[in-house]
Structure formats: C-alpha cells, structure tokens
Amino acid sequence: MLRTVPHVPVLRGEVLPERVPAAGLMILRDGEPGEPGVTLSPLRYHYQHRAEIEAVVQGVDRDSTFAALCASIGAAISADRTLGGLCDWVEAEAPRPVDLPVEGAASLKAAVITVVLHYTTADPLGG
C-alpha cells in the first residue's frame, strides 16, 4: 500500500540511511499485535495491531514536503482500508513531527505515524 506513494522509497525494518531522497522516505516497522480479544465457538482472535511508519524528509522546503508526504500516506490508507481484504479496518493516528539537527547537513523533519490494523484470525500464527 505504501509503495503507491509516488517517488518516495519505502523500507521495512531498516535503519535510517545517510541520504534522504528529496521527496522523503518511509520506514515501515512491524510493530506489536498486542493482546487479542478472544471469542469462542468458533474460536477467533481479534487484534488491534499497532505498526509504525517513520516518515522522514530533509532539505530547505522540508515543512511542505513533510505535509505532502503525510497527506500521501493518508490517501494511500484511505484508498484501501482493508488492505485488499487482509484487515477489517486500517486507520492512522496523527503524526507528532520533530526537527532533528544533522551535523554538516540540512536538518531532518520526521515523525512516527502509528497505523492500527484491526483484524480477526482463527490462528494467531497465521495458519
């Protein structure tokens, strides 16, 4: 889903690279499924899995680039709130941006965007 955001690379579980592309960068963190709610007959596990997207931009126009990146992430989530039927519902929480100084380079603007994936499964190991 995140790869639909044009011109912005998406990494999964990687460390922040030395260079951030002009359009920004997203790093997906798998997060935690948390404790499921359980129903019996039939047995079902109901999760609210909290994953994270690290959104990072750098450069002189980082405020508007950051706003555009966040809007693109929101649009990608809104376009398919079930991830093609894998989830019951997907929603993002508001980012809390911070400016991070970088020695000898333009500062970074970054935020962690928590994405909550609501889903139900018969097997917590995915079988």
Side-chain angles (χ1 to χ4, degrees):
M1 167 189 70
L2 294 175
R3 287 195 167 88
T4 64
V5 176
H7 312 294
V8 180
V10 179
L11 305 175
R12 184 171 180 187
E14 302 280 334
V15 297
L16 182 65
E18 288 184 27
R19 300 182 136 270
V20 175
L25 173 72
M26 292 181 279
I27 303 173
L28 176 63
R29 306 280 178 209
D30 293 340
E32 296 291 325
E35 282 295 316
V38 179
T39 56
L40 303 172
S41 190
L43 179 63
R44 295 285 183 258
Y45 299 89
H46 309 278
Y47 286 95
Q48 291 184 24
H49 187 120
R50 299 176 71 78
E52 295 178 335
I53 302 168
E54 293 178 13
V56 183
V57 298
Q58 186 175 25
V60 291
D61 199 21
R62 66 184 177 276
D63 289 331
S64 61
T65 303
F66 182 80
L69 178 57
C70 289
S72 296
I73 292 169
I77 291 170
S78 295
D80 183 7
R81 292 212 181 256
T82 67
L83 295 179
L86 296 174
C87 291
D88 297 321
W89 187 255
V90 177
E91 61 188 344
E93 295 179 355
R96 292 186 203 111
V98 295
D99 288 310
L100 304 170
V102 177
E103 189 173 326
S107 66
L108 299 171
K109 186 168 195 121
V112 172
I113 300 170
T114 300
V115 179
V116 183
L117 301 102
H118 301 264
Y119 61 94
T120 299
T121 183
D123 183 351
L125 296 178

